[in-house]
Coordinates of all heavy atoms in Angstrom, one line a residue:
M242 N -12.8 60.8 25.3 CA -12.6 59.4 25.4 C -11.2 59.1 24.9 O -10.8 59.6 24.0 CB -13.6 58.7 24.4 CG -14.7 58.0 25.2 SD -15.7 57.1 24.0 CE -17.3 57.9 24.2
A243 N -10.6 58.1 25.6 CA -9.2 57.7 25.2 C -9.4 56.5 24.3 O -9.7 55.4 24.8 CB -8.5 57.3 26.5
I244 N -9.2 56.7 23.0 CA -9.4 55.6 22.0 C -8.0 55.1 21.6 O -7.1 55.9 21.3 CB -10.2 56.1 20.9 CG1 -11.6 56.6 21.3 CG2 -10.4 55.0 19.8 CD1 -12.5 55.5 21.9
V245 N -7.8 53.8 21.4 CA -6.7 53.3 20.8 C -7.1 52.4 19.7 O -8.0 51.6 19.8 CB -5.9 52.4 21.9 CG1 -4.7 51.7 21.2 CG2 -5.5 53.2 23.1
I246 N -6.4 52.6 18.5 CA -6.7 51.9 17.3 C -5.4 51.0 17.0 O -4.3 51.6 16.9 CB -7.0 52.7 16.2 CG1 -8.3 53.6 16.5 CG2 -7.3 51.9 14.9 CD1 -8.6 54.7 15.5
S247 N -5.5 49.7 17.0 CA -4.4 48.9 16.8 C -4.6 47.9 15.6 O -5.7 47.3 15.5 CB -4.2 48.0 18.0 OG -3.1 47.1 17.8
T248 N -3.6 48.0 14.6 CA -3.7 47.1 13.5 C -2.6 46.0 13.8 O -1.5 46.3 14.1 CB -3.3 47.8 12.2 OG1 -4.3 48.9 12.0 CG2 -3.3 46.9 11.0
R249 N -3.0 44.7 13.5 CA -2.1 43.6 13.8 C -2.0 42.7 12.5 O -3.1 42.4 12.0 CB -2.6 42.8 15.0 CG -2.7 43.6 16.2 CD -3.7 43.0 17.2 NE -4.0 44.0 18.2 CZ -3.8 43.7 19.5 NH1 -3.4 42.5 19.9 NH2 -4.1 44.6 20.4
K250 N -0.9 42.4 12.2 CA -0.6 41.4 11.1 C -0.3 40.1 11.7 O 0.7 40.0 12.4 CB 0.5 41.9 10.2 CG 0.8 41.0 9.0 CD -0.3 40.9 8.0 CE 0.1 40.1 6.9 NZ -0.9 39.9 5.9
L251 N -1.2 39.1 11.6 CA -1.0 37.8 12.2 C -0.2 36.9 11.3 O -0.1 37.1 10.1 CB -2.4 37.2 12.5 CG -3.3 38.0 13.4 CD1 -4.7 37.3 13.4 CD2 -2.8 38.4 14.7
A252 N 0.4 35.9 11.9 CA 1.1 34.8 11.1 C 0.0 34.2 10.3 O -1.2 34.0 10.7 CB 1.7 33.9 12.0
P253 N 0.3 33.7 9.1 CA -0.7 33.1 8.2 C -1.4 31.9 9.0 O -0.8 31.1 9.6 CB 0.1 32.5 7.0 CG 1.2 33.5 7.0 CD 1.6 33.8 8.4
G254 N -2.8 32.0 9.0 CA -3.6 30.9 9.6 C -3.7 31.0 11.1 O -4.2 30.1 11.7
D255 N -3.2 32.1 11.7 CA -3.2 32.2 13.2 C -4.4 32.9 13.8 O -4.5 33.1 14.9 CB -1.9 33.0 13.6 CG -1.7 32.9 15.1 OD1 -1.9 31.9 15.7 OD2 -1.3 34.0 15.7
F256 N -5.4 33.2 12.9 CA -6.5 34.0 13.4 C -7.2 33.3 14.6 O -7.5 33.9 15.6 CB -7.5 34.4 12.3 CG -8.7 35.2 12.9 CD1 -8.6 36.5 13.2 CD2 -9.9 34.5 13.2 CE1 -9.6 37.2 13.7 CE2 -10.9 35.2 13.7 CZ -10.8 36.6 13.9
A257 N -7.6 32.0 14.4 CA -8.3 31.3 15.5 C -7.6 31.3 16.8 O -8.1 31.6 17.9 CB -8.7 29.9 15.1
D258 N -6.3 31.1 16.8 CA -5.5 31.1 18.0 C -5.4 32.4 18.6 O -5.5 32.7 19.8 CB -4.0 30.5 17.7 CG -4.0 29.1 17.5 OD1 -5.0 28.4 17.9 OD2 -3.0 28.6 16.9
W259 N -5.2 33.5 17.7 CA -5.1 34.9 18.2 C -6.4 35.2 18.9 O -6.5 35.8 19.9 CB -4.8 35.9 17.1 CG -4.9 37.3 17.5 CD1 -4.0 38.0 18.1 CD2 -6.1 38.1 17.4 NE1 -4.5 39.3 18.4 CE2 -5.8 39.3 18.0 CE3 -7.4 37.9 16.9 CZ2 -6.8 40.3 18.0 CZ3 -8.3 38.9 17.0 CH2 -8.0 40.1 17.5
D260 N -7.5 34.9 18.2 CA -8.8 35.3 18.7 C -9.1 34.7 20.1 O -9.6 35.3 21.0 CB -9.9 34.8 17.7 CG -11.2 35.4 17.9 OD1 -11.3 36.6 18.2 OD2 -12.2 34.7 17.8
S261 N -8.6 33.4 20.3 CA -8.8 32.8 21.6 C -8.0 33.4 22.7 O -8.4 33.7 23.7 CB -8.5 31.3 21.5 OG -8.5 30.6 22.7
R262 N -6.7 33.7 22.3 CA -5.8 34.4 23.3 C -6.3 35.8 23.6 O -6.3 36.2 24.8 CB -4.4 34.5 22.6 CG -3.6 33.2 22.6 CD -2.1 33.4 22.2 NE -1.9 34.3 21.0 CZ -1.9 33.9 19.8 NH1 -2.0 32.6 19.4 NH2 -1.7 34.7 18.8
F263 N -6.8 36.5 22.6 CA -7.3 37.9 22.8 C -8.5 37.8 23.7 O -8.6 38.6 24.6 CB -7.6 38.5 21.5 CG -7.9 40.0 21.6 CD1 -6.9 40.9 21.7 CD2 -9.2 40.4 21.7 CE1 -7.2 42.3 21.8 CE2 -9.5 41.8 21.8 CZ -8.5 42.7 21.9
A264 N -9.4 36.9 23.4 CA -10.6 36.8 24.3 C -10.3 36.5 25.7 O -10.9 37.0 26.7 CB -11.6 35.8 23.7
S265 N -9.2 35.6 25.9 CA -8.9 35.2 27.3 C -8.3 36.4 28.1 O -8.2 36.3 29.3 CB -8.0 34.1 27.3 OG -6.7 34.5 26.8
G266 N -7.9 37.5 27.4 CA -7.3 38.6 28.1 C -8.3 39.7 28.5 O -7.9 40.7 29.0
A267 N -9.6 39.4 28.4 CA -10.6 40.4 28.7 C -10.5 40.9 30.1 O -10.6 42.1 30.4 CB -12.0 39.9 28.4
S268 N -10.4 40.0 31.0 CA -10.4 40.4 32.4 C -9.1 41.3 32.8 O -9.3 42.3 33.5 CB -10.3 39.2 33.3 OG -10.3 39.5 34.7
A269 N -8.0 40.9 32.2 CA -6.8 41.8 32.5 C -7.0 43.1 31.8 O -6.6 44.2 32.5 CB -5.6 41.0 31.9
R270 N -7.5 43.2 30.6 CA -7.8 44.5 30.0 C -8.8 45.3 30.8 O -8.5 46.5 31.1 CB -8.3 44.4 28.6 CG -7.3 44.0 27.6 CD -7.8 44.0 26.2 NE -9.0 43.2 25.9 CZ -8.9 41.9 25.6 NH1 -7.8 41.3 25.4 NH2 -10.1 41.3 25.4
R271 N -9.8 44.7 31.3 CA -10.8 45.5 32.1 C -10.2 46.0 33.4 O -10.4 47.1 33.8 CB -12.0 44.5 32.4 CG -13.3 45.1 32.4 CD -14.5 44.2 32.6 NE -14.3 42.8 32.9 CZ -14.2 41.8 32.0 NH1 -14.5 42.1 30.7 NH2 -14.0 40.6 32.4
G272 N -9.3 45.2 34.0 CA -8.7 45.6 35.2 C -7.7 46.7 35.1 O -7.4 47.4 36.0
A273 N -7.2 46.8 33.8 CA -6.2 47.9 33.5 C -6.9 49.2 33.1 O -6.2 50.2 32.9 CB -5.2 47.4 32.5
G274 N -8.2 49.1 32.9 CA -8.9 50.4 32.5 C -9.6 50.4 31.1 O -10.1 51.4 30.7
C275 N -9.5 49.2 30.5 CA -10.2 49.1 29.2 C -11.7 49.0 29.4 O -12.2 48.2 30.1 CB -9.6 48.0 28.4 SG -10.3 47.8 26.7
R276 N -12.5 49.9 28.7 CA -13.9 49.9 28.9 C -14.7 49.1 27.8 O -15.8 48.6 28.1 CB -14.4 51.3 28.9 CG -13.8 52.1 30.1 CD -14.4 53.4 30.3 NE -14.1 54.3 29.2 CZ -14.0 55.7 29.3 NH1 -14.4 56.2 30.4 NH2 -13.7 56.4 28.3
S277 N -14.1 49.1 26.6 CA -14.8 48.3 25.6 C -13.8 48.0 24.5 O -12.7 48.6 24.3 CB -16.0 48.9 25.0 OG -15.6 50.1 24.3
V278 N -14.1 47.0 23.6 CA -13.2 46.6 22.5 C -14.1 46.2 21.4 O -15.1 45.5 21.5 CB -12.4 45.3 22.9 CG1 -11.6 44.8 21.8 CG2 -11.5 45.5 24.1
R279 N -13.7 46.7 20.2 CA -14.4 46.3 18.9 C -13.2 45.7 18.0 O -12.2 46.3 17.9 CB -15.0 47.5 18.2 CG -16.2 48.0 19.0 CD -16.9 49.1 18.3 NE -17.5 48.6 17.1 CZ -17.9 49.4 16.1 NH1 -17.8 50.7 16.2 NH2 -18.5 48.9 15.0
R280 N -13.5 44.5 17.4 CA -12.5 43.9 16.6 C -13.1 43.8 15.2 O -14.2 43.6 14.9 CB -12.3 42.4 17.1 CG -11.7 42.4 18.5 CD -11.7 41.0 19.1 NE -13.1 40.4 19.0 CZ -13.3 39.1 18.6 NH1 -12.3 38.3 18.4 NH2 -14.5 38.7 18.5
F281 N -12.1 43.9 14.2 CA -12.5 43.9 12.8 C -11.4 43.0 12.1 O -10.2 43.0 12.5 CB -12.5 45.3 12.2 CG -13.3 46.3 12.9 CD1 -12.9 47.0 14.0 CD2 -14.6 46.5 12.4 CE1 -13.7 47.9 14.6 CE2 -15.5 47.4 13.0 CZ -15.0 48.1 14.2
R282 N -11.9 42.3 11.1 CA -11.0 41.5 10.3 C -10.9 42.0 8.8 O -12.0 42.2 8.3 CB -11.4 40.0 10.3 CG -10.4 39.1 9.8 CD -10.9 37.6 10.1 NE -9.8 36.7 9.7 CZ -10.0 35.4 9.7 NH1 -11.2 34.9 10.1 NH2 -9.1 34.6 9.4
S283 N -9.8 42.2 8.2 CA -9.7 42.7 6.9 C -10.4 41.8 5.9 O -10.3 40.6 5.9 CB -8.3 42.9 6.5 OG -8.1 43.2 5.1
V284 N -11.1 42.5 5.0 CA -11.8 41.8 3.9 C -10.8 41.3 2.9 O -10.9 40.2 2.3 CB -12.8 42.7 3.2 CG1 -13.4 42.1 2.0 CG2 -13.9 43.1 4.2
D285 N -9.7 42.0 2.7 CA -8.7 41.7 1.7 C -7.6 40.8 2.2 O -6.9 40.1 1.4 CB -8.0 42.9 1.1 CG -9.1 43.8 0.4 OD1 -9.9 43.2 -0.3 OD2 -9.0 45.0 0.6
D286 N -7.4 40.7 3.6 CA -6.3 40.0 4.1 C -6.8 39.3 5.5 O -6.8 40.0 6.5 CB -5.1 40.8 4.4 CG -3.9 40.1 4.9 OD1 -4.1 38.9 5.3 OD2 -2.8 40.7 5.0
P287 N -7.2 38.1 5.5 CA -7.7 37.5 6.7 C -6.7 37.4 7.8 O -7.2 37.1 9.0 CB -8.2 36.1 6.2 CG -7.4 35.8 5.0 CD -7.1 37.1 4.4
D288 N -5.5 37.7 7.6 CA -4.5 37.6 8.7 C -4.2 39.0 9.2 O -3.3 39.2 10.0 CB -3.1 37.1 8.1 CG -3.3 35.6 7.7 OD1 -4.0 34.8 8.4 OD2 -2.7 35.2 6.7
E289 N -5.0 40.0 8.8 CA -4.9 41.3 9.4 C -6.2 41.7 10.2 O -7.3 41.5 9.7 CB -4.7 42.4 8.3 CG -4.5 43.8 8.8 CD -4.2 44.7 7.7 OE1 -5.1 45.2 7.0 OE2 -3.0 45.0 7.4
V290 N -5.9 42.2 11.4 CA -7.1 42.6 12.2 C -6.9 44.0 12.7 O -5.8 44.4 12.8 CB -7.3 41.6 13.4 CG1 -7.7 40.2 13.0 CG2 -6.0 41.6 14.4
V291 N -8.0 44.7 12.9 CA -8.0 46.0 13.5 C -8.8 45.9 14.8 O -9.9 45.4 14.8 CB -8.6 47.1 12.6 CG1 -8.6 48.4 13.2 CG2 -7.8 47.1 11.3
V292 N -8.2 46.5 15.9 CA -8.9 46.4 17.2 C -9.0 47.9 17.7 O -8.1 48.6 17.6 CB -8.1 45.6 18.2 CG1 -8.9 45.5 19.5 CG2 -7.8 44.2 17.7
I293 N -10.2 48.3 18.1 CA -10.5 49.6 18.6 C -10.9 49.5 20.1 O -11.8 48.8 20.4 CB -11.5 50.4 17.8 CG1 -11.2 50.5 16.4 CG2 -11.8 51.7 18.5 CD1 -12.2 51.1 15.5
F294 N -10.0 50.1 20.9 CA -10.2 50.0 22.4 C -10.7 51.3 22.9 O -10.3 52.4 22.4 CB -8.9 49.7 23.1 CG -8.1 48.5 22.7 CD1 -7.3 48.5 21.6 CD2 -8.3 47.3 23.4 CE1 -6.6 47.4 21.3 CE2 -7.6 46.2 23.1 CZ -6.7 46.2 22.0
D295 N -11.6 51.3 23.9 CA -12.0 52.5 24.6 C -11.4 52.3 26.0 O -11.8 51.4 26.7 CB -13.5 52.6 24.6 CG -14.0 53.8 25.5 OD1 -13.1 54.6 25.9 OD2 -15.2 53.8 25.7
W296 N -10.5 53.2 26.4 CA -9.8 53.2 27.7 C -10.3 54.3 28.6 O -10.7 55.3 28.1 CB -8.3 53.2 27.5 CG -7.7 52.0 27.0 CD1 -7.7 51.6 25.7 CD2 -7.1 50.9 27.7 NE1 -7.0 50.4 25.5 CE2 -6.7 49.9 26.8 CE3 -6.9 50.6 29.1 CZ2 -6.1 48.7 27.2 CZ3 -6.3 49.5 29.4 CH2 -5.9 48.5 28.5
D297 N -10.1 54.1 29.9 CA -10.4 55.2 30.8 C -9.4 56.4 30.6 O -9.8 57.6 30.7 CB -10.5 54.8 32.3 CG -9.2 54.1 32.7 OD1 -8.3 53.8 31.9 OD2 -9.2 53.7 34.0
T298 N -8.1 56.1 30.4 CA -7.1 57.1 30.2 C -6.1 56.6 29.2 O -5.9 55.4 29.0 CB -6.3 57.5 31.5 OG1 -5.5 56.4 31.9 CG2 -7.3 57.9 32.6
H299 N -5.4 57.5 28.4 CA -4.4 57.2 27.5 C -3.2 56.5 28.3 O -2.5 55.7 27.8 CB -3.9 58.3 26.7 CG -4.9 58.6 25.6 ND1 -5.2 57.8 24.5 CD2 -5.6 59.8 25.3 CE1 -6.0 58.3 23.7 NE2 -6.3 59.5 24.2
E300 N -3.0 57.1 29.5 CA -1.8 56.5 30.3 C -2.0 55.1 30.6 O -1.1 54.3 30.4 CB -1.7 57.3 31.6 CG -0.6 56.9 32.5 CD -0.5 57.7 33.8 OE1 -0.7 58.9 33.8 OE2 -0.2 57.0 34.8
H301 N -3.2 54.7 31.0 CA -3.5 53.3 31.3 C -3.3 52.4 30.1 O -2.8 51.3 30.1 CB -4.9 53.1 31.9 CG -4.9 53.6 33.3 ND1 -6.1 54.0 33.9 CD2 -4.0 53.9 34.2 CE1 -6.0 54.4 35.1 NE2 -4.7 54.4 35.3
A302 N -3.8 52.9 29.0 CA -3.7 52.2 27.7 C -2.3 52.0 27.3 O -1.9 50.9 26.9 CB -4.5 53.0 26.6
R303 N -1.5 53.1 27.3 CA -0.1 52.9 26.9 C 0.6 51.9 27.8 O 1.4 51.1 27.3 CB 0.6 54.3 27.0 CG 0.3 55.2 25.9 CD 1.1 56.5 26.0 NE 0.6 57.5 25.2 CZ 0.9 57.7 23.9 NH1 1.7 56.9 23.3 NH2 0.4 58.7 23.1
R304 N 0.4 52.0 29.1 CA 1.1 51.1 30.0 C 0.7 49.7 29.7 O 1.6 48.8 29.6 CB 0.8 51.4 31.4 CG 1.5 50.6 32.4 CD 1.2 51.0 33.9 NE 1.3 52.4 34.2 CZ 0.3 53.1 34.7 NH1 -0.8 52.6 35.1 NH2 0.5 54.4 34.9
F305 N -0.5 49.4 29.6 CA -1.0 48.0 29.3 C -0.5 47.5 28.0 O 0.1 46.4 27.9 CB -2.6 48.0 29.3 CG -3.0 46.5 29.2 CD1 -3.1 45.7 30.2 CD2 -3.4 46.1 27.9 CE1 -3.6 44.4 30.0 CE2 -3.9 44.8 27.7 CZ -4.0 44.0 28.8
I306 N -0.6 48.3 26.9 CA -0.2 47.9 25.6 C 1.3 47.7 25.5 O 1.8 46.7 24.9 CB -0.8 48.8 24.5 CG1 -2.3 48.6 24.5 CG2 -0.2 48.6 23.1 CD1 -3.1 49.7 23.7
E307 N 2.0 48.7 26.0 CA 3.5 48.5 25.9 C 4.0 47.3 26.7 O 4.9 46.6 26.2 CB 4.2 49.8 26.5 CG 4.0 51.0 25.5 CD 4.5 52.3 26.0 OE1 5.0 52.4 27.2 OE2 4.3 53.3 25.3
N308 N 3.4 47.0 27.9 CA 3.8 45.8 28.6 C 3.4 44.6 27.8 O 4.1 43.6 27.8 CB 3.1 45.8 30.0 CG 3.8 46.8 30.9 OD1 4.9 47.2 30.7 ND2 3.0 47.2 31.9
N309 N 2.2 44.6 27.2 CA 1.7 43.5 26.4 C 2.6 43.2 25.2 O 3.0 42.0 25.0 CB 0.3 43.7 26.0 CG -0.3 42.5 25.4 OD1 -0.2 41.4 25.8 ND2 -1.1 42.7 24.3
V310 N 3.0 44.2 24.5 CA 3.9 44.0 23.3 C 5.2 43.5 23.7 O 5.8 42.7 23.1 CB 4.0 45.4 22.5 CG1 5.1 45.3 21.4 CG2 2.6 45.7 21.9
R311 N 5.7 44.1 24.9 CA 7.0 43.7 25.3 C 7.0 42.2 25.7 O 7.9 41.4 25.3 CB 7.4 44.5 26.6 CG 8.9 44.3 27.0 CD 9.2 45.3 28.2 NE 9.0 46.6 27.9 CZ 8.1 47.4 28.5 NH1 7.3 46.9 29.5 NH2 7.9 48.6 28.2
Q312 N 6.0 41.7 26.4 CA 5.8 40.3 26.7 C 5.7 39.5 25.5 O 6.3 38.4 25.4 CB 4.6 40.1 27.6 CG 4.5 38.7 28.3 CD 5.8 38.4 29.1 OE1 6.2 39.2 30.0 NE2 6.4 37.3 28.9
L313 N 4.9 39.9 24.5 CA 4.8 39.1 23.2 C 6.1 39.0 22.6 O 6.5 37.9 22.0 CB 3.8 39.8 22.3 CG 2.3 39.7 22.6 CD1 1.5 40.6 21.8 CD2 1.8 38.3 22.6
A314 N 7.0 40.0 22.6 CA 8.2 40.0 21.9 C 9.2 39.0 22.7 O 9.9 38.3 22.1 CB 8.9 41.4 21.9
L315 N 9.1 39.0 24.0 CA 9.9 38.1 24.8 C 9.5 36.6 24.6 O 10.4 35.8 24.5 CB 9.8 38.4 26.3 CG 10.5 39.7 26.7 CD1 10.1 40.0 28.2 CD2 12.0 39.6 26.6
N316 N 8.2 36.4 24.4 CA 7.7 35.0 24.2 C 8.0 34.6 22.8 O 7.9 33.3 22.5 CB 6.2 35.0 24.5 CG 5.9 35.2 26.0 OD1 6.8 35.0 26.8 ND2 4.7 35.5 26.3
N317 N 8.1 35.5 21.8 CA 8.3 35.1 20.4 C 9.6 35.9 19.8 O 9.4 36.7 18.9 CB 7.1 35.4 19.7 CG 5.9 34.8 20.2 OD1 5.7 33.6 20.1 ND2 4.9 35.6 20.8
P318 N 10.8 35.6 20.3 CA 11.9 36.4 19.9 C 12.2 36.3 18.4 O 12.7 37.2 17.7 CB 13.1 35.9 20.7 CG 12.7 34.5 21.2 CD 11.1 34.6 21.3
D319 N 11.8 35.1 17.8 CA 12.0 34.9 16.4 C 11.0 35.5 15.5 O 11.1 35.7 14.3 CB 12.2 33.4 16.0 CG 13.3 32.8 16.7 OD1 14.4 33.5 16.9 OD2 13.3 31.6 17.1
A320 N 9.8 35.8 16.1 CA 8.7 36.4 15.3 C 7.9 37.5 16.2 O 6.9 37.2 16.7 CB 7.7 35.3 14.9
P321 N 8.6 38.6 16.5 CA 7.9 39.6 17.3 C 6.6 40.1 16.6 O 6.5 40.0 15.4 CB 8.9 40.7 17.4 CG 9.8 40.6 16.2 CD 9.9 39.1 15.9
P322 N 5.7 40.6 17.4 CA 4.4 41.0 16.9 C 4.5 42.1 15.9 O 5.3 43.0 16.1 CB 3.6 41.4 18.1 CG 4.6 41.7 19.1 CD 5.8 40.9 18.9
Q323 N 3.7 42.0 14.8 CA 3.6 43.1 13.9 C 2.4 43.9 14.2 O 1.3 43.4 13.9 CB 3.6 42.5 12.5 CG 4.8 41.9 12.0 CD 4.8 41.5 10.5 OE1 4.2 42.2 9.7 NE2 5.3 40.3 10.2
M324 N 2.6 45.0 14.9 CA 1.4 45.8 15.5 C 1.7 47.2 15.3 O 2.8 47.7 15.6 CB 1.3 45.3 16.9 CG 0.0 45.6 17.5 SD -0.1 44.7 19.1 CE -0.1 46.0 20.3
W325 N 0.7 48.0 14.9 CA 0.8 49.4 14.8 C -0.3 50.0 15.6 O -1.4 49.6 15.4 CB 0.7 49.8 13.3 CG 1.8 49.2 12.5 CD1 3.0 49.7 12.2 CD2 1.8 48.0 11.9 NE1 3.7 48.8 11.4 CE2 3.0 47.7 11.2 CE3 0.8 46.9 11.8 CZ2 3.3 46.6 10.5 CZ3 1.1 45.7 11.1 CH2 2.4 45.6 10.4
T326 N 0.0 50.9 16.5 CA -1.0 51.4 17.4 C -1.0 53.0 17.4 O 0.1 53.6 17.3 CB -0.6 51.0 18.8 OG1 -0.6 49.5 18.8 CG2 -1.7 51.4 19.8
V327 N -2.2 53.5 17.4 CA -2.3 55.0 17.4 C -3.3 55.3 18.6 O -4.3 54.6 18.8 CB -2.8 55.6 16.1 CG1 -4.1 55.0 15.7 CG2 -2.9 57.1 16.1
Y328 N -2.9 56.3 19.4 CA -3.7 56.8 20.5 C -4.5 58.1 20.0 O -3.8 59.0 19.6 CB -2.9 57.1 21.7 CG -2.1 55.9 22.1 CD1 -0.9 55.5 21.5 CD2 -2.6 55.1 23.2 CE1 -0.2 54.3 21.9 CE2 -1.9 54.0 23.6 CZ -0.7 53.6 23.0 OH 0.0 52.4 23.4
V329 N -5.8 58.1 20.1 CA -6.5 59.2 19.6 C -7.7 59.6 20.6 O -8.0 58.9 21.5 CB -7.2 58.9 18.3 CG1 -6.2 58.6 17.2 CG2 -8.2 57.8 18.4
D330 N -8.1 60.8 20.5 CA -9.3 61.3 21.3 C -10.4 61.4 20.3 O -10.3 61.9 19.1 CB -9.0 62.7 21.9 CG -8.1 62.7 23.0 OD1 -8.1 61.7 23.9 OD2 -7.2 63.5 23.1
E331 N -11.6 60.9 20.7 CA -12.7 60.9 19.8 C -13.3 62.3 19.7 O -13.4 63.0 20.7 CB -13.8 60.0 20.3 CG -15.0 59.8 19.4 CD -15.9 58.7 19.8 OE1 -15.8 58.2 20.9 OE2 -16.8 58.4 19.0
L332 N -13.6 62.7 18.5 CA -14.3 64.0 18.2 C -15.8 63.8 18.2 O -16.3 62.7 18.1 CB -13.8 64.6 16.9 CG -12.3 64.8 16.8 CD1 -11.9 65.3 15.4 CD2 -11.8 65.8 17.8
A333 N -16.5 64.9 18.3 CA -18.0 64.9 18.2 C -18.4 64.2 16.9 O -17.8 64.5 15.8 CB -18.6 66.3 18.3
A334 N -19.4 63.5 17.0 CA -20.0 62.8 15.7 C -20.6 63.8 14.8 O -21.2 64.8 15.3 CB -21.0 61.7 16.1
L335 N -20.5 63.5 13.5 CA -21.2 64.4 12.5 C -22.3 63.6 11.9 O -22.2 62.3 11.8 CB -20.2 64.8 11.5 CG -19.0 65.7 11.9 CD1 -18.0 65.9 10.7 CD2 -19.5 67.0 12.5
E336 N -23.3 64.2 11.4 CA -24.3 63.5 10.6 C -23.7 63.2 9.3 O -22.9 63.9 8.7 CB -25.5 64.4 10.4 CG -26.3 64.6 11.7 CD -27.6 65.3 11.5 OE1 -28.2 65.2 10.4 OE2 -28.0 66.0 12.4
S337 N -24.1 62.0 8.7 CA -23.6 61.6 7.4 C -24.2 62.2 6.3 O -25.1 63.0 6.3 CB -23.7 60.1 7.3 OG -24.8 59.5 7.9

């Protein structure tokens, strides 16, 4: 599985707007090869979110995310996105 884990630091109080914008991108993500998304919000910092994506391939994920980040930076030159992304392969689950 091609998994992408992304941590994002939002502007203070921007969660509702980000959440709406993110939800509206579902169709574009699906069309680019994203199979599922899980979102998490930090307990300690409500302006930090973690998103885990399941993509069909890492190549499709990289292309989509790099284009998305580039567009966000162009749209917000004074406040580029604070985003950290790691591309991983899922290992077999272990019993706890």
Side-chain angles (χ1 to χ4, degrees):
M242 254 187 243
I244 303 294
V245 176
I246 302 169
S247 178
T248 301
R249 301 155 191 236
K250 179 69 173 174
L251 306 175
D255 190 40
F256 179 79
D258 288 338
W259 172 84
D260 195 40
S261 177
R262 288 189 311 269
F263 189 82
S265 71
S268 179
R270 285 189 302 274
R271 219 175 5 264
C275 186
R276 299 188 292 202
S277 69
V278 176
R279 293 182 67 195
R280 300 170 306 138
F281 304 86
R282 193 172 186 186
S283 172
V284 172
D285 297 321
D286 182 352
D288 296 319
E289 184 175 84
V290 295
V291 175
V292 183
I293 301 175
F294 302 89
D295 176 10
W296 287 83
D297 56 353
T298 69
H299 283 297
E300 179 182 320
H301 290 158
R303 283 183 196 275
R304 185 178 310 128
F305 183 86
I306 291 170
E307 288 171 3
N308 287 338
N309 187 41
V310 169
R311 191 175 305 114
Q312 190 60 48
L313 286 170
L315 289 173
N316 291 343
N317 304 293
D319 296 329
Q323 293 186 38
M324 197 164 116
W325 301 268
T326 303
V327 61
Y328 300 83
V329 298
D330 288 318
E331 187 171 7
L332 301 175
L335 299 174
E336 290 188 32
S337 30

